[in-house]
Amino acid sequence: MSQQQQPEADIALIGLAVMGQNLILNMADHGFTVCAYNRTTEKVDQFLANEAKGKSVVGAHSIKEMVGKLKRPRRVILLVKAGQAVDDFIKQLVPYLERGDIIIDGGNSEYKDTQRRCKELDGQGLLFVGSGVSGGEEGARYGPSLMPGGHSEAWPHIKPIFQKIAAKADGEPCCDWVGEDGAGHFVKMVHNGIEYGDMQLICEAYHLLKDVLKLSHTEMADIFTEWNKTELDSFLIEITRDILNYKDSDGKALVEKIRDSAGQKGTGKWTAISALDYGVPVTLIGESVFARCLSSLKEERLEASKVLKGPDGVFNGDRKQFIEDIRKALYASKIVSYAQGFMLLREAAQQFNWNLNYGGIALMWRGGCIIRSVFLGNIKTAFTKNPKLNNLLLDEFFLGEVSKCQQSWRRTLAEAIQLGIPTPCFSTALAFFDGYRTGQLPANLIQAQRDYFGAHTYELLASPGKWIHTNWTGKGGNVSASSYNA
Ligand code: 2AM
């Protein structure tokens, strides 16, 4: 009997790199039969003979064979290199699939590609899902955060598998339906942007502890241990403690031997670009990307450090108080960063007509991924209380938290500025907070300047919607810029 007549696999996965392999093993451990396939088919045999030995995993050496082994509707996950490889596999798959079958892209695809693929496959009666997968190798193996979005008809068919293999936070799966077309990959992109921000904030705290208070690595690690028992309780604080404690073979902290040039793969940059595209002030993620750019100018900075001199004062305040101030500055800045991230999600939802479940997104990030933290539970609560919450900063809980941190936040920055320690993300967070809570900003002057030199017109506070041009010099004439376009 041919294998086509005995479909046995619940789902197929294409792409046997480390994430793909671990995700297959995770699904197999949860009782699903998975069909494994890879462009280089030797990897299928190797995988079956080693890691997948004795597990409910079957292999295929062609797309045709793989599809033949699948129960209907067929579910195929792609975990291949983002870009052309995804399109190539979709092209190969389509002739073998039937109406209602599902293709899931679990790679790090750009959300615009996912939008395009959704549309193209929709025209062919196939259901396409773009899913963020976060948590690295360990997450993929034992519980990732999964952010699926796309053709909503696919969700009931993938939900039992996805929610079973996802990480759990307070008993709930860190996976839910995100929204239409590219929503899953957009949310994953914002997740990565927030991760950039969180990491930079921790680096700024470390910089202050090290260069203002001149603490040893053990002392700093102890501080991070304490911080991890507070509102900052999170994976990134935990690993920072371990990194600070890690000694090289000579007994010295390894972290100090690492070249201070941060790498990046681009997802933080994409978040900042969409923030600019949609006009949302996601300043903290933007600064975190630029901080990495500045760090990578190592040679240039070394040269500049010989000639550009800053203040050479020393800290003579209350050291214990300053440590607590830094913690609060970090916490308040983090609240601002997440508020900005959710502002971007809200704007994208409006642009693309997505019906995003913000509380669900917070829960998806609550466990399994790099930004997992107790704090995301508070965000979930805020959105559960008010699904239409306009801004996280306006939620009663977060409003109270920022208010409790505010004095410490300002003292930290004042000290950093006095002593010349760069704190781009702490600073931009406070600048945003102060801007956001200001009813009257100086942008009236910008409007006047634009009208002065370019006749761009302005609105009066007293008559919004009515655009006026003033002949500021008495020389330029009374024609406004919009008149030129008419
Ligand atoms: P490979 O093992 O045949 O190289 C991560 O790189 C995964 O994406 C691997 O499974 C790899 O397959 C696959 N991959 C990368 N580029 C690809 C391409 N252009 N076409 C098909 N698969 C590709």
Side-chain angles (χ1 to χ4, degrees):
M1 195 181 281
S2 81
Q3 280 160 328
Q4 271 90 336
Q5 285 162 306
Q6 275 191 330
E8 52 186 326
D10 298 297
I11 191 162
L13 189 144
I14 300 178
L16 296 182
V18 68
M19 287 294 282
Q21 291 196 10
N22 281 336
L23 215 55
I24 290 175
L25 297 175
N26 185 355
M27 288 190 278
D29 280 351
H30 283 91
F32 300 104
T33 300
V34 191
C35 182
Y37 177 70
N38 194 65
R39 172 181 63 172
T40 314
T41 50
E42 294 82 66
K43 281 196 193 163
V44 176
D45 301 318
Q46 281 164 14
F47 181 56
L48 290 178
N50 297 289
E51 295 86 351
K53 199 169 177 185
K55 307 232 176 224
S56 53
V57 181
V58 294
H61 293 85
S62 70
I63 296 276
K64 186 174 180 219
E65 185 192 352
M66 182 195 83
V67 173
K69 289 187 173 178
L70 283 172
K71 295 179 193 164
R72 290 168 203 220
R74 302 179 181 99
R75 295 168 284 207
V76 180
I77 303 184
L78 294 171
L79 260 178
V80 297
K81 200 162 168 244
Q84 195 56 45
V86 177
D87 287 313
D88 290 349
F89 271 119
I90 291 175
K91 214 165 149 195
Q92 290 178 52
L93 277 163
V94 166
Y96 297 104
L97 298 181
E98 291 169 357
R99 186 163 278 278
D101 285 347
I102 301 159
I103 301 176
I104 304 146
D105 173 19
N108 248 339
S109 295
E110 288 194 52
Y111 72 95
K112 285 186 180 164
D113 283 335
T114 305
Q115 289 179 309
R116 169 178 58 78
R117 289 167 186 147
C118 272
K119 219 182 201 159
E120 283 169 6
L121 289 170
D122 195 30
Q124 303 175 58
L126 296 173
L127 310 179
F128 188 72
V129 173
S131 180
V133 177
S134 179
E137 292 170 38
E138 180 87 1
R141 182 68 185 86
Y142 300 107
S145 158
L146 296 171
M147 302 154 238
H151 206 302
S152 58
E153 276 177 43
W155 180 230
H157 300 289
I158 61 172
K159 185 178 175 182
I161 303 181
F162 271 45
Q163 291 200 333
K164 234 180 194 160
I165 64 167
K168 306 288 180 300
D170 306 325
E172 290 193 71
C174 298
C175 169
D176 205 345
W177 187 245
V178 176
E180 300 77 356
D181 74 328
H185 275 132
F186 192 90
V187 164
K188 171 65 179 9
M189 176 192 78
V190 175
H191 161 282
N192 285 23
I194 287 179
E195 179 183 313
Y196 271 56
D198 278 359
M199 291 167 76
Q200 175 63 24
L201 288 173
I202 292 175
C203 286
E204 290 174 20
Y206 152 72
H207 199 171
L208 292 167
L209 294 171
K210 185 167 70 122
D211 286 357
V212 174
L213 296 179
K214 319 276 183 208
L215 297 178
S216 73
H217 289 82
T218 312
E219 286 170 322
M220 287 191 281
D222 290 346
I223 287 169
F224 277 86
T225 303
E226 287 310 308
W227 287 2
N228 210 33
K229 295 174 192 159
T230 70
E231 298 91 339
L232 294 180
D233 183 347
S234 62
F235 171 72
L236 283 169
I237 293 283
E238 194 181 307
I239 67 163
T240 303
R241 171 203 65 200
D242 295 345
I243 290 167
L244 290 168
N245 262 331
Y246 194 94
K247 303 280 185 286
D248 201 4
S249 48
D250 60 2
K252 298 205 172 111
L254 176 62
V255 68
E256 298 312 323
K257 299 184 182 182
I258 296 175
R259 188 176 152 96
D260 51 327
S261 288
Q264 42 183 324
K265 281 194 176 165
T267 39
K269 183 176 83 179
W270 296 351
T271 314
I273 290 173
S274 23
L276 289 170
D277 278 346
Y278 306 129
V280 187
V282 189
T283 61
L284 196 142
I285 294 174
E287 277 295 348
S288 69
V289 175
F290 286 132
R292 290 197 190 191
C293 299
L294 181 61
S295 81
S296 70
L297 304 176
K298 175 72 173 170
E299 300 304 330
E300 216 172 310
R301 286 189 289 110
L302 279 173
E303 282 308 307
S305 70
K306 294 177 195 154
V307 287
L308 299 177
K309 296 297 169 201
D312 47 18
V314 289
F315 179 80
N316 46 28
D318 180 335
R319 295 170 68 83
K320 208 164 162 213
Q321 176 65 54
F322 192 52
I323 294 169
E324 180 60 2
D325 283 348
I326 297 171
R327 187 186 74 79
K328 286 186 169 159
L330 172 46
Y331 182 38
S333 304
K334 186 167 160 149
I335 294 172
V336 166
S337 180
Y338 283 66
Q340 292 181 342
F342 277 90
M343 284 168 77
L344 180 58
L345 291 178
R346 188 173 291 278
E347 184 56 34
Q350 214 157 31
Q351 290 271 341
F352 299 116
N353 224 359
W354 294 337
N355 183 21
L356 295 184
N357 167 7
Y358 300 101
I361 292 167
L363 186 64
M364 282 177 243
W365 296 345
R366 168 78 185 78
C369 58
I370 305 298
I371 62 169
R372 62 182 180 263
S373 65
V374 170
F375 167 79
L376 276 157
N378 301 126
I379 299 183
K380 161 88 171 78
T381 309
F383 282 112
T384 306
K385 230 172 31 192
N386 178 9
K388 293 202 176 349
L389 181 65
N390 228 331
N391 192 299
L392 217 50
L393 290 168
L394 302 177
D395 168 72
E396 210 179 317
F397 172 78
F398 286 109
L399 199 146
E401 295 296 274
V402 171
S403 151
K404 274 192 266 172
C405 293
Q406 204 176 139
Q407 280 313 314
S408 286
W409 196 8
R410 292 185 192 281
R411 271 200 301 266
T412 304
L413 280 165
E415 200 66 55
I417 290 165
Q418 283 299 332
L419 297 175
I421 306 289
T423 48
C425 284
F426 282 6
S427 307
T428 198
L430 186 59
F432 174 88
F433 176 73
D434 283 336
Y436 191 70
R437 60 174 197 84
T438 297
Q440 173 74 40
L441 285 170
N444 47 332
L445 179 55
I446 290 182
Q447 288 299 78
Q449 290 164 335
R450 292 176 68 237
D451 189 54
Y452 186 110
F453 64 68
H456 292 296
T457 71
Y458 58 85
E459 292 168 289
L460 285 174
L461 284 168
S463 49
K466 192 168 165 235
W467 295 89
I468 300 164
H469 170 60
T470 291
N471 182 354
W472 295 88
T473 59
K475 284 185 271 174
N478 292 316
V479 184
S480 67
S482 51
S483 311
Y484 293 127
N485 301 330

